[in-house]
Amino acid sequence: MFRKHLAAALVLIASGSASAAINQLDLADYRLVATYDLPSVQASEASAVTWNWDTDTLFVLGDEGDYVVEVNKQGQQISSMNLFGFDDTEGLSYIGNGQFVLVEERLQDVYRFSYTAGGAIGRNTLPSVSVGPTVGNVGLEGLSYDPLSGRFILVKEKTPQAVYDASLDFTTGSASVTELVPPANPFVRLFGTLDLSDVQTLTTVASLRGTADQDNLLIYSQETPRLMEVTRSGEVLSQFDFSAIADDAEGVTIDGNGVIYIVGETPRLYVLAPMAPVPEPEGWALLLAGLGLIGVTARRRLS
């Protein structure tokens, strides 16, 4: 019986680890817990990553537009799909039912596709939506699907930096775009950052729905480099300094437990997880009860 008490206590104490869903997010609580190499060919120059909640795996996109690769949470390849006709793929987001969207930075076009392991897709065969005119290497860097609204959040890299809320209709090819955080001028730094390289909605984390963090965003800056939690009006709530870890990271996603995954061009996968909180009083009581029973049992065996 004492073993059951002890096991239960240990479960309570570990309940705040990466294996348990979060009910709030504060990047000050996060730590780098793992770093993994990604497949060097398929994930070359990794620029985006998204979590597939149906398979609980990650999908990585390189900015050369050659592959979408499925990996586990340790960065090991599970499958891949060839891309043809793409030039500057920078953003990737899962939208459910095996479907994804990706964005071409300079064209500022978004494409929808179904993932088929071992398959291939060409840009000209896919339904697409234009979000803006063709620009230089300062266009759309990242996007994230909001499953509650069915809309998308997108970030533009610079000149100007911008955060967009968009309704994308892939049937008609039309878009309705609103600037969530409008720039004051073309050279403004919205969050004191040199660029914006990716965005992730928090509505994909089921345990955050209905909380104060539900509608907030994770935004990453490669050139600064920094991960931030921001409101949709542009207020920075918390941040994580990535400068001592990598200077080529640019894609971010979060899984259902609140674990954050960042990819860099190396290519490499970085894993951030919240630290386990101090146990509640009932957790300590249960642990002490279990340890007490161990002591009683040990004394009985010695007598």
Side-chain angles (χ1 to χ4, degrees), residues 16-213:
S17 70
S19 62
I22 60 172
N23 54 27
Q24 62 180 1
L25 188 143
D26 185 343
L27 292 176
D29 297 332
Y30 277 72
R31 300 293 183 271
L32 178 70
V33 296
T35 301
Y36 303 107
D37 289 333
L38 289 166
S40 59
V41 175
Q42 286 84 352
S44 176
E45 298 191 35
S47 61
V49 60
T50 189
W51 173 61
N52 180 328
W53 55 81
D54 291 319
T55 60
D56 196 28
T57 57
L58 306 175
F59 286 75
V60 178
L61 176 70
D63 68 9
E64 297 302 311
D66 295 327
Y67 295 93
V68 174
V69 57
E70 180 186 14
V71 300
N72 63 21
K73 293 178 178 179
Q74 292 75 46
Q76 299 167 328
Q77 183 172 329
I78 298 171
S79 66
S80 67
M81 185 175 187
N82 281 103
L83 302 177
F84 294 100
F86 292 93
D87 298 314
D88 190 18
T89 48
E90 288 288 353
L92 180 70
S93 185
Y94 185 61
I95 62 174
N97 298 315
Q99 292 194 316
F100 297 79
V101 294
L102 65 80
V103 63
E104 282 261 38
E105 179 183 4
R106 292 174 174 85
L107 295 179
Q108 299 200 102
D109 290 345
V110 182
Y111 300 81
R112 187 186 66 196
F113 68 95
S114 295
Y115 183 84
T116 302
I121 52 171
R123 187 178 75 184
N124 293 336
T125 67
L126 298 176
S128 65
V129 176
S130 175
V131 179
T134 299
V135 294
N137 193 29
V138 292
L140 294 177
E141 277 279 322
L143 82 168
S144 184
Y145 178 64
D146 182 341
L148 291 188
S149 68
R151 297 173 67 87
F152 294 84
I153 304 296
L154 305 95
V155 290
K156 185 177 180 296
E157 182 180 5
K158 59 177 65 173
T159 56
Q161 294 181 17
V163 183
Y164 301 127
D165 179 318
S167 174
L168 306 180
D169 189 332
F170 291 95
T171 301
T172 63
S174 61
S176 174
V177 182
T178 302
E179 289 187 9
L180 277 181
V181 188
N185 63 71
F187 305 103
V188 71
R189 298 180 181 182
L190 288 182
F191 308 107
T193 53
L194 294 173
D195 74 338
L196 304 180
S197 64
D198 206 2
V199 61
Q200 171 64 51
T201 63
L202 294 184
T203 52
T204 58
V205 184
S207 61
L208 290 181
R209 295 175 188 171
T211 73
D213 289 322

